[in-house]
Amino acid sequence: MSNNIISIIIPTFNQGNYIKRCLDSIKSQTYKNYEIIIIDKYSTDNTKIIIDEYKFLPIRFFQIENSGIIANSRNFGIKKANGEIIAFLDSDDYWVPSKLEKCYEKILDGNDLIFHNLEISGQKNKLNRKITLKGRKLQKPYFKDLIINGNPISNSSVMVKKKFLFDVNLINEEKKMNAAEDYNLWIKISKKTEKFCFINETLGYYQFNLHGASRKKKYEPHYYERYKRVFFIS
Protein backbone atom coordinates (compact mmCIF):
# COMPACT_ATOMS: atom_id res chain seq x y z
CA MET A 1 0.00 0.00 0.00
CA SER A 2 1.31 3.42 -0.92
CA ASN A 3 -0.33 5.09 2.07
CA ASN A 4 -1.82 4.07 5.40
CA ILE A 5 -4.74 6.51 5.40
CA ILE A 6 -8.03 4.95 6.48
CA SER A 7 -11.00 6.54 4.73
CA ILE A 8 -14.10 6.39 6.94
CA ILE A 9 -17.28 6.42 4.85
CA ILE A 10 -20.36 7.81 6.65
CA PRO A 11 -23.68 8.18 4.80
CA THR A 12 -26.25 10.20 6.73
CA PHE A 13 -29.72 11.69 6.59
CA ASN A 14 -31.40 13.51 9.47
CA GLN A 15 -29.24 11.84 12.13
CA GLY A 16 -28.63 14.93 14.23
CA ASN A 17 -29.57 12.94 17.34
CA TYR A 18 -26.70 10.52 16.79
CA ILE A 19 -23.95 11.96 14.60
CA LYS A 20 -22.21 13.80 17.44
CA ARG A 21 -21.72 10.49 19.23
CA CYS A 22 -20.46 8.97 16.00
CA LEU A 23 -17.89 11.73 15.41
CA ASP A 24 -16.82 11.75 19.06
CA SER A 25 -15.98 8.06 18.74
CA ILE A 26 -13.77 8.81 15.74
CA LYS A 27 -12.10 11.69 17.56
CA SER A 28 -11.22 9.27 20.36
CA GLN A 29 -9.51 6.72 18.10
CA THR A 30 -5.99 5.72 19.06
CA TYR A 31 -5.13 5.43 15.35
CA LYS A 32 -5.04 8.97 13.95
CA ASN A 33 -4.18 8.66 10.24
CA TYR A 34 -7.69 8.81 8.83
CA GLU A 35 -10.04 10.96 6.82
CA ILE A 36 -13.81 11.18 7.32
CA ILE A 37 -16.02 11.32 4.26
CA ILE A 38 -19.61 12.25 5.11
CA ILE A 39 -22.23 11.90 2.40
CA ASP A 40 -25.40 13.71 3.44
CA LYS A 41 -28.74 13.29 1.68
CA TYR A 42 -29.62 16.97 2.22
CA SER A 43 -30.63 16.58 5.87
CA THR A 44 -33.36 18.93 7.06
CA ASP A 45 -32.49 18.68 10.77
CA ASN A 46 -29.39 19.93 12.61
CA THR A 47 -27.01 17.34 11.13
CA LYS A 48 -24.93 19.89 9.17
CA ILE A 49 -24.74 22.26 12.16
CA ILE A 50 -23.30 19.50 14.34
CA ILE A 51 -20.82 18.41 11.66
CA ASP A 52 -19.60 22.01 11.38
CA GLU A 53 -18.61 21.85 15.04
CA TYR A 54 -16.00 19.22 14.12
CA LYS A 55 -13.92 21.24 11.68
CA PHE A 56 -10.83 20.24 13.68
CA LEU A 57 -11.29 16.71 12.31
CA PRO A 58 -10.24 15.79 8.73
CA ILE A 59 -13.82 15.79 7.44
CA ARG A 60 -14.80 16.02 3.79
CA PHE A 61 -18.50 16.80 3.52
CA PHE A 62 -20.67 16.17 0.47
CA GLN A 63 -24.39 16.44 -0.17
CA ILE A 64 -26.05 14.29 -2.80
CA GLU A 65 -29.53 13.05 -3.63
CA ASN A 66 -29.31 9.28 -3.44
CA SER A 67 -33.00 8.50 -4.14
CA GLY A 68 -33.12 6.44 -0.98
CA ILE A 69 -30.30 4.13 -2.10
CA ILE A 70 -27.69 4.12 0.67
CA ALA A 71 -25.32 2.16 -1.59
CA ASN A 72 -25.24 5.18 -3.87
CA SER A 73 -23.94 7.35 -1.02
CA ARG A 74 -21.36 4.78 0.04
CA ASN A 75 -20.11 4.34 -3.52
CA PHE A 76 -19.81 8.12 -3.86
CA GLY A 77 -17.67 8.19 -0.72
CA ILE A 78 -15.50 5.28 -1.88
CA LYS A 79 -14.77 7.08 -5.15
CA LYS A 80 -13.75 10.21 -3.23
CA ALA A 81 -11.51 8.33 -0.78
CA ASN A 82 -7.81 9.16 -0.67
CA GLY A 83 -6.98 6.14 1.46
CA GLU A 84 -6.39 2.62 0.21
CA ILE A 85 -8.29 1.25 3.19
CA ILE A 86 -12.01 1.83 3.70
CA ALA A 87 -13.88 1.66 7.01
CA PHE A 88 -17.66 1.77 6.93
CA LEU A 89 -19.60 3.52 9.70
CA ASP A 90 -23.28 4.41 9.79
CA SER A 91 -23.93 7.81 11.33
CA ASP A 92 -26.00 6.41 14.20
CA ASP A 93 -23.37 3.79 15.08
CA TYR A 94 -20.08 4.38 16.90
CA TRP A 95 -16.79 2.71 17.79
CA VAL A 96 -14.59 2.02 20.81
CA PRO A 97 -11.28 3.96 20.79
CA SER A 98 -9.14 1.00 19.73
CA LYS A 99 -11.30 -0.01 16.74
CA LEU A 100 -9.19 1.44 13.92
CA GLU A 101 -5.88 0.44 15.49
CA LYS A 102 -6.87 -3.19 16.06
CA CYS A 103 -8.38 -3.59 12.59
CA TYR A 104 -5.43 -1.91 10.89
CA GLU A 105 -3.05 -4.31 12.64
CA LYS A 106 -4.92 -7.17 10.95
CA ILE A 107 -4.56 -5.41 7.58
CA LEU A 108 -0.80 -5.24 8.19
CA ASP A 109 -0.87 -8.97 8.92
CA GLY A 110 -1.97 -9.53 5.33
CA ASN A 111 -5.75 -9.62 5.60
CA ASP A 112 -8.04 -7.90 3.09
CA LEU A 113 -11.33 -7.57 5.00
CA ILE A 114 -11.71 -7.26 8.77
CA PHE A 115 -14.91 -7.44 10.83
CA HIS A 116 -15.86 -7.76 14.50
CA ASN A 117 -18.76 -7.87 16.93
CA LEU A 118 -21.05 -4.91 17.61
CA GLU A 119 -23.08 -4.36 20.76
CA ILE A 120 -26.64 -3.19 20.19
CA SER A 121 -26.89 0.23 21.77
CA GLY A 122 -29.85 0.83 24.05
CA GLN A 123 -31.16 -2.74 23.97
CA LYS A 124 -31.02 -5.55 26.53
CA ASN A 125 -32.53 -9.00 26.61
CA LYS A 126 -35.15 -10.28 29.06
CA LEU A 127 -32.43 -11.00 31.59
CA ASN A 128 -31.23 -7.37 31.35
CA ARG A 129 -28.05 -8.44 29.57
CA LYS A 130 -26.38 -6.69 26.70
CA ILE A 131 -27.23 -7.90 23.20
CA THR A 132 -24.39 -8.37 20.74
CA LEU A 133 -24.41 -8.76 16.98
CA LYS A 134 -21.84 -11.53 16.93
CA GLY A 135 -19.83 -12.41 13.88
CA ARG A 136 -18.20 -15.75 13.28
CA LYS A 137 -15.09 -17.14 11.65
CA LEU A 138 -16.00 -18.13 8.13
CA GLN A 139 -15.37 -21.64 6.84
CA LYS A 140 -13.85 -22.19 3.42
CA PRO A 141 -15.04 -21.73 0.80
CA TYR A 142 -16.23 -18.40 2.23
CA PHE A 143 -18.59 -17.82 -0.68
CA LYS A 144 -20.46 -21.02 0.16
CA ASP A 145 -20.48 -20.30 3.89
CA LEU A 146 -22.02 -16.87 3.34
CA ILE A 147 -24.68 -18.21 1.01
CA ILE A 148 -25.67 -21.15 3.20
CA ASN A 149 -25.25 -19.75 6.69
CA GLY A 150 -26.16 -16.09 6.18
CA ASN A 151 -24.44 -12.82 6.88
CA PRO A 152 -22.29 -12.57 10.05
CA ILE A 153 -20.68 -9.29 8.98
CA SER A 154 -22.10 -6.02 10.31
CA ASN A 155 -21.48 -3.06 8.03
CA SER A 156 -20.17 -0.68 10.72
CA SER A 157 -17.57 -3.27 11.75
CA VAL A 158 -15.91 -3.60 8.35
CA MET A 159 -12.48 -2.42 7.26
CA VAL A 160 -11.55 -3.47 3.71
CA LYS A 161 -8.88 -2.73 1.13
CA LYS A 162 -10.34 -0.33 -1.43
CA LYS A 163 -9.01 -2.26 -4.41
CA PHE A 164 -11.43 -5.11 -3.72
CA LEU A 165 -14.39 -2.75 -3.75
CA PHE A 166 -13.43 -1.67 -7.25
CA ASP A 167 -12.64 -5.25 -8.25
CA VAL A 168 -16.33 -6.12 -7.65
CA ASN A 169 -17.68 -2.93 -9.24
CA LEU A 170 -18.50 -1.37 -5.87
CA ILE A 171 -21.77 -1.84 -3.99
CA ASN A 172 -24.86 -2.95 -5.90
CA GLU A 173 -27.26 0.00 -6.20
CA GLU A 174 -30.24 -1.89 -7.60
CA LYS A 175 -33.48 -1.42 -5.67
CA LYS A 176 -33.85 -5.18 -5.22
CA MET A 177 -30.69 -5.02 -3.07
CA ASN A 178 -31.85 -2.15 -0.88
CA ALA A 179 -31.18 -3.07 2.78
CA ALA A 180 -29.25 -6.16 1.64
CA GLU A 181 -26.47 -4.60 -0.37
CA ASP A 182 -23.85 -5.21 2.31
CA TYR A 183 -24.45 -8.97 2.34
CA ASN A 184 -24.19 -8.97 -1.43
CA LEU A 185 -20.90 -7.06 -1.22
CA TRP A 186 -19.25 -9.51 1.19
CA ILE A 187 -20.25 -12.40 -1.06
CA LYS A 188 -18.78 -10.72 -4.14
CA ILE A 189 -15.53 -9.92 -2.31
CA SER A 190 -15.27 -13.51 -1.02
CA LYS A 191 -15.03 -14.62 -4.65
CA LYS A 192 -11.93 -12.40 -5.05
CA THR A 193 -10.16 -13.08 -1.75
CA GLU A 194 -10.53 -15.30 1.30
CA LYS A 195 -8.25 -13.18 3.44
CA PHE A 196 -11.10 -12.27 5.80
CA CYS A 197 -10.33 -11.78 9.49
CA PHE A 198 -12.93 -11.96 12.26
CA ILE A 199 -11.93 -10.22 15.49
CA ASN A 200 -14.02 -11.80 18.22
CA GLU A 201 -14.26 -8.59 20.22
CA THR A 202 -16.89 -5.88 20.57
CA LEU A 203 -15.24 -2.87 18.95
CA GLY A 204 -18.35 -0.82 18.25
CA TYR A 205 -22.01 -0.19 18.84
CA TYR A 206 -25.01 -0.60 16.58
CA GLN A 207 -27.95 1.73 17.18
CA PHE A 208 -31.20 -0.22 17.42
CA ASN A 209 -33.62 1.69 15.22
CA LEU A 210 -36.60 0.18 13.44
CA HIS A 211 -36.84 3.14 11.08
CA GLY A 212 -35.20 2.43 7.75
CA ALA A 213 -34.65 -0.79 5.89
CA SER A 214 -31.02 -1.14 6.92
CA ARG A 215 -32.15 -1.48 10.55
CA LYS A 216 -35.23 -3.59 9.99
CA LYS A 217 -33.39 -6.29 8.13
CA LYS A 218 -31.51 -7.66 11.14
CA TYR A 219 -34.75 -8.45 12.92
CA GLU A 220 -37.04 -9.68 10.15
CA PRO A 221 -37.73 -13.44 10.28
CA HIS A 222 -36.47 -15.43 7.32
CA TYR A 223 -34.59 -12.39 6.01
CA TYR A 224 -31.68 -14.34 4.58
CA GLU A 225 -33.89 -17.02 3.08
CA ARG A 226 -35.86 -14.36 1.25
CA TYR A 227 -32.86 -12.56 -0.18
CA LYS A 228 -29.89 -14.86 -0.53
CA ARG A 229 -31.13 -16.31 -3.85
CA VAL A 230 -30.31 -13.04 -5.63
CA PHE A 231 -27.07 -12.08 -3.88
CA PHE A 232 -24.67 -14.33 -5.72
CA ILE A 233 -25.96 -13.65 -9.22
CA SER A 234 -25.73 -9.84 -9.08
Side-chain angles (χ1 to χ4, degrees):
M1 293 180 293
S2 61
N3 67 56
N4 58 356
I5 298 170
I6 297 173
S7 296
I8 304 168
I9 308 298
I10 306 177
T12 192
F13 176 66
N14 286 350
Q15 292 293 332
N17 289 338
Y18 297 111
I19 199 163
K20 183 180 190 300
R21 182 179 66 183
C22 173
L23 293 174
D24 280 342
S25 80
I26 298 174
K27 180 182 69 173
S28 299
Q29 290 299 302
T30 55
Y31 185 91
K32 300 297 185 182
N33 193 10
Y34 58 76
E35 64 174 355
I36 304 166
I37 302 175
I38 299 176
I39 309 94
D40 177 43
K41 188 196 167 195
Y42 293 101
S43 293
T44 56
D45 66 354
N46 62 341
T47 293
K48 179 62 165 59
I49 294 172
I50 293 173
I51 292 170
D52 284 343
E53 296 173 357
Y54 287 82
K55 291 182 178 178
F56 57 89
L57 291 179
I59 292 175
R60 299 166 63 200
F61 179 81
F62 302 92
Q63 289 184 307
I64 68 169
E65 176 50 62
N66 66 11
S67 301
I69 307 295
I70 297 176
N72 180 271
S73 292
R74 291 196 178 105
N75 285 339
F76 182 94
I78 293 165
K79 292 173 185 175
K80 294 290 184 181
N82 291 318
E84 295 183 27
I85 304 166
I86 300 295
F88 293 115
L89 180 60
D90 289 344
S91 58
D92 52 353
D93 295 340
Y94 56 109
W95 294 330
V96 304
S98 61
K99 177 314 197 289
L100 290 180
E101 182 177 0
K102 288 189 174 184
C103 291
Y104 183 63
E105 286 174 355
K106 298 300 183 182
I107 292 285
L108 293 179
D109 287 342
N111 296 288
D112 297 323
L113 187 149
I114 319 299
F115 64 104
H116 53 76
N117 301 325
L118 295 177
E119 181 182 315
I120 300 180
S121 178
Q123 291 290 310
K124 294 185 177 181
N125 64 17
K126 293 180 180 179
L127 298 176
N128 201 36
R129 294 174 180 167
K130 298 174 182 178
I131 304 173
T132 301
L133 292 175
K134 289 189 68 67
R136 69 171 189 275
K137 185 176 180 179
L138 297 174
Q139 302 299 314
K140 294 184 178 182
Y142 290 0
F143 170 83
K144 183 177 180 180
D145 183 315
L146 288 166
I147 292 295
I148 293 175
N149 298 314
N151 181 19
I153 304 174
S154 298
N155 188 76
S156 288
S157 78
V158 169
M159 181 180 289
V160 60
K161 291 180 181 176
K162 184 171 67 176
K163 73 173 293 292
F164 291 102
L165 298 173
F166 284 102
D167 284 349
V168 299
N169 297 317
L170 300 177
I171 307 169
N172 192 309
E173 297 184 19
E174 294 178 76
K175 286 189 176 180
K176 70 178 182 179
M177 287 294 175
N178 218 14
E181 68 282 350
D182 54 349
Y183 185 20
N184 175 242
L185 179 62
W186 319 141
I187 290 173
K188 291 193 297 182
I189 292 175
S190 74
K191 295 168 73 175
K192 299 290 184 180
T193 177
E194 288 195 323
K195 292 181 179 179
F196 284 37
C197 178
F198 168 52
I199 301 175
N200 193 13
E201 297 181 43
T202 299
L203 298 180
Y205 298 85
Y206 175 98
Q207 178 62 41
F208 181 83
N209 179 2
L210 285 179
H211 299 291
S214 66
R215 298 310 187 187
K216 289 180 181 178
K217 68 181 183 182
K218 298 289 191 296
Y219 303 96
E220 289 180 358
H222 312 302
Y223 166 77
Y224 296 119
E225 291 301 322
R226 288 168 45 209
Y227 284 99
K228 70 183 181 182
R229 290 186 302 238
V230 297
F231 290 160
F232 61 91
I233 61 174
S234 302

